[in-house]
Amino acid sequence: MTYVLLIYRASAAGTRAPGLDERATLRAHRELQTETSKRGELHAVARLDESRDARTVKRNGGAHEIIDGPFVETKEWLVGFYLLDCANEEEAIGRAKVLCADDEHVIEVRPVSWRWKQ
């Protein structure tokens, strides 16, 4: 089963959260990337640009609107994702725990369906 691990950060872009050990956080990312890559389970990983650079496209009354930033108002902002194969949800949650090594990050675990595959 393929899962996406969506990584959200609570603090604003460009700010350092008190007590956040960025080197330890990056080390956890590298370890997960190495492990899942060796096992052929890693499909993609990306760090997203800041939400201020995002645009949201929505349809309203038959016309498209382009809105600056993410559409959903939330304290946390999406900073990146992993797309990888896991044996089950328990394994996906375990991997999310590796990435969620501090109080500044929230990881959403969601199954992915490859609808175009037969």
Side-chain angles (χ1 to χ4, degrees):
M1 181 80 192
T2 302
Y3 287 85
V4 64
L5 308 182
L6 300 171
I7 305 166
Y8 293 89
R9 183 172 175 183
S11 59
T15 62
R16 291 193 67 161
L20 176 64
D21 184 351
E22 292 185 24
R23 280 186 244 162
T25 298
L26 289 175
R27 194 169 35 255
H29 281 265
R30 299 283 184 266
E31 289 171 6
L32 183 62
Q33 291 168 14
T34 299
E35 173 207 341
T36 55
S37 182
K38 283 181 182 177
R39 294 169 63 178
E41 298 167 340
L42 181 64
H43 294 283
V45 61
R47 183 177 192 286
L48 303 177
D49 288 344
E50 294 182 27
S51 58
R52 72 171 180 233
D53 297 325
R55 304 295 174 262
T56 299
V57 178
K58 72 175 201 169
R59 193 171 165 103
N60 187 5
H64 288 97
E65 293 180 31
I66 291 85
I67 303 165
D68 289 344
F71 180 72
V72 178
E73 292 296 326
T74 181
K75 178 181 170 187
E76 292 87 14
W77 54 288
L78 185 63
V79 295
F81 68 89
Y82 280 75
L83 185 62
L84 43 84
D85 291 331
C86 300
N88 51 42
E89 182 181 61
E90 181 179 337
E91 182 179 48
I93 290 172
R95 289 177 171 169
K97 288 179 180 179
V98 169
L99 300 177
C100 193
D102 56 65
D103 293 343
E104 284 299 306
H105 292 89
V106 176
I107 313 298
E108 178 183 345
V109 177
R110 189 184 300 183
V112 174
S113 299
W114 298 103
R115 300 195 189 282
W116 57 86
K117 285 189 174 181
Q118 297 295 334

